Amino acid sequence: MSAAAMPSSFKKRLVSQSNLMELGEKLRASGKRIVFTAGSWDLMHVGQTRYLEEAKKLGDILVVGVVADRAIAKVKGPNKPILGEKVRAEVVSALRAVDFVTIIPEPSCAPSLGLLRPDAYVTVKEDWASDYESSVENRTVTSYGGKILVVDRQSTDISTSKILARAIGGGLSDVLKDFMQYRKDPLKE
């Protein structure tokens, strides 16, 4: 996406990694409580938007990390993410709860946390979150006096994986229906 194609509102909210420290200092100097969260934010759905709304309630300014394409592919495989990092960042930045967005170059957001130094790092409650105290993110946040806050998943029925499974399943069903319609001999059970 060329810089000219980016809406100006997105450009104003997109913060490079090299400017995170300056942003954090500026916000703290003005007395703002900074909240940070991160994720892939691929195929945004209601659970993710509710989660960001909950994160925003925990402070004055919400900064959201969007994990870069290469970092996601490293963790989730070559078919992820579905949407590119700049598209995902633009979609996230358009949400009313989000004040700033940054693209995180690696799977861990610890370096971004170290630069921004938010008052709170918010993460969603998952199996791994029960052991978050031993994570590098926790060590980073607590090293400067910040806190990690674990928020419940806001929609247990919807996830990017479930959306993809349903879309693929529905499409496959249509293909099989068409195939069966043109067969002369129906398959026997």
Side-chain angles (χ1 to χ4, degrees):
M1 176 186 302
S2 70
M6 283 187 219
S8 62
S9 61
F10 173 55
K11 284 191 247 183
K12 289 177 187 173
R13 296 172 128 198
L14 180 63
V15 179
S16 68
Q17 289 286 295
S18 61
N19 289 331
L20 277 180
M21 186 180 293
E22 180 184 341
L23 176 66
E25 290 170 355
K26 180 180 159 191
L27 293 172
R28 277 189 298 284
S30 65
K32 301 292 184 191
R33 180 171 165 75
I34 306 166
V35 176
F36 181 84
T37 192
S40 62
W41 314 109
D42 207 7
L43 300 181
M44 286 297 293
H45 56 76
V46 71
Q48 293 170 323
T49 58
R50 289 175 185 166
Y51 169 77
L52 292 171
E53 292 281 341
E54 288 302 307
K56 173 68 176 198
K57 291 176 187 176
L58 301 171
D60 302 310
I61 301 293
L62 177 60
V63 181
V64 179
V66 174
V67 182
D69 295 346
R70 291 180 75 184
I72 291 172
K74 229 187 260 187
V75 174
K76 296 186 177 188
N79 295 324
K80 295 275 181 99
I82 305 299
L83 301 174
E85 61 199 41
K86 287 185 179 165
V87 170
R88 291 181 285 118
E90 186 174 338
V91 170
V92 169
S93 77
L95 299 172
R96 70 175 169 231
V98 178
D99 297 295
F100 296 98
V101 174
T102 189
I103 296 175
I104 301 173
E106 51 194 87
S108 172
C109 64
S112 300
L113 290 166
L115 293 169
L116 182 63
R117 299 181 58 166
D119 298 284
Y121 168 55
V122 179
T123 188
V124 70
K125 189 175 193 176
E126 298 286 353
D127 293 339
W128 67 268
S130 62
D131 191 30
Y132 75 87
E133 291 159 335
S134 64
S135 71
V136 66
E137 290 82 4
N138 185 60
R139 287 192 298 277
T140 301
V141 171
T142 56
S143 73
Y144 62 80
K147 301 217 179 289
I148 289 189
L149 303 173
V150 179
V151 173
D152 286 331
R153 180 172 280 284
Q154 297 300 301
S155 176
T156 55
D157 296 333
I158 300 173
S159 70
T160 299
S161 297
K162 288 179 181 178
I163 291 169
L164 286 173
R166 184 167 181 186
I168 291 168
L172 187 56
S173 173
D174 289 345
V175 168
L176 290 173
K177 226 185 302 179
D178 290 344
F179 172 75
M180 294 304 291
Q181 176 182 347
Y182 296 110
R183 280 188 51 89
K184 291 183 181 175
D185 300 322
L187 295 174
K188 296 187 180 183
E189 293 187 44

